[in-house]
Amino acid sequence: FIHAMFTENDTTAARGLLTELVSKYPESMETYIASLDMDNYGVQSRPQQTVGTPRSSNQGKSDLPKEYNLAQNYPNPFNPSTIIKYDLPKDSRVMLKIFDVLGREVMTLVNEIRPAGYHQATLNAAGLPSGVYFYRLEAGSFTNVKKLLLLK
């Protein structure tokens, strides 16, 4: 529905629908995809921050996430690249690593201190074989793991 609203240039209605989705189904994949649709059409669905860019002086604390979060990568399945979004409620040392199904570390996407905010990392898996992989985010006391699928 949100995609259809954008094709009709009704961004106000699309924003309203997304707000309703977030309040009723904050953790659903449909809400996440709708959020990405809004981002793709150039309408920010939530405050965004480019990885590694410090917060500007006009961003207040209310713009920051309330808790750590690791989102499902999008697209999934993917070939050859995918985006992994994560939220940091405070400045944190971040480790974002990719593992194969045997638990072997394949690569490290992030290994540094990042400012509080909304972040994303791009996984380019052009040199990896098709298959199931896992990504793990460690930030502060938060750790989470999610699965992704590379199809060539």
Side-chain angles (χ1 to χ4, degrees):
F1 293 127
I2 289 178
H3 178 76
M5 288 177 191
F6 277 118
T7 58
E8 296 172 12
N9 292 322
D10 192 353
T11 57
T12 303
R15 257 194 214 101
L17 181 57
L18 182 63
T19 301
E20 186 177 336
L21 279 172
V22 169
S23 67
K24 290 182 179 178
Y25 313 103
E27 298 299 318
S28 80
M29 182 56 74
E30 289 78 9
T31 301
Y32 178 68
I33 292 170
S35 172
L36 289 173
D37 273 349
M38 288 188 72
D39 293 344
N40 288 338
Y41 281 95
V43 178
Q44 292 188 345
S45 57
R46 63 178 187 168
Q48 293 291 317
Q49 180 177 340
T50 303
V51 173
T53 303
R55 285 180 279 133
S56 63
S57 59
N58 64 353
Q59 276 185 307
K61 288 199 176 244
S62 63
D63 292 341
L64 297 177
K66 303 273 188 267
E67 59 189 27
Y68 289 99
N69 183 50
L70 176 62
Q72 184 63 50
N73 66 300
Y74 184 81
N76 191 33
F78 70 99
N79 179 24
S81 65
T82 187
I83 295 174
I84 300 170
K85 292 186 177 188
Y86 59 95
D87 305 339
L88 305 174
K90 60 184 179 180
D91 296 1
S92 304
R93 166 150 298 281
V94 174
M95 293 281 287
L96 180 58
K97 295 185 175 193
I98 309 300
F99 298 89
D100 66 15
V101 291
L102 298 176
R104 296 178 297 208
E105 182 180 329
V106 174
M107 70 177 67
T108 299
L109 293 178
V110 180
N111 180 12
E112 61 189 36
I113 296 174
R114 293 285 167 94
Y118 300 95
H119 298 270
Q120 68 181 35
T122 301
L123 167 60
N124 184 342
L128 297 175
S130 294
V132 175
Y133 293 87
F134 297 91
Y135 56 102
R136 180 179 70 202
L137 176 72
E138 295 178 18
S141 60
F142 176 81
T143 301
N144 198 349
V145 177
K146 295 204 182 273
K147 181 169 56 171
L148 49 84
L149 179 60
L150 172 61
L151 288 180
K152 291 190 174 185

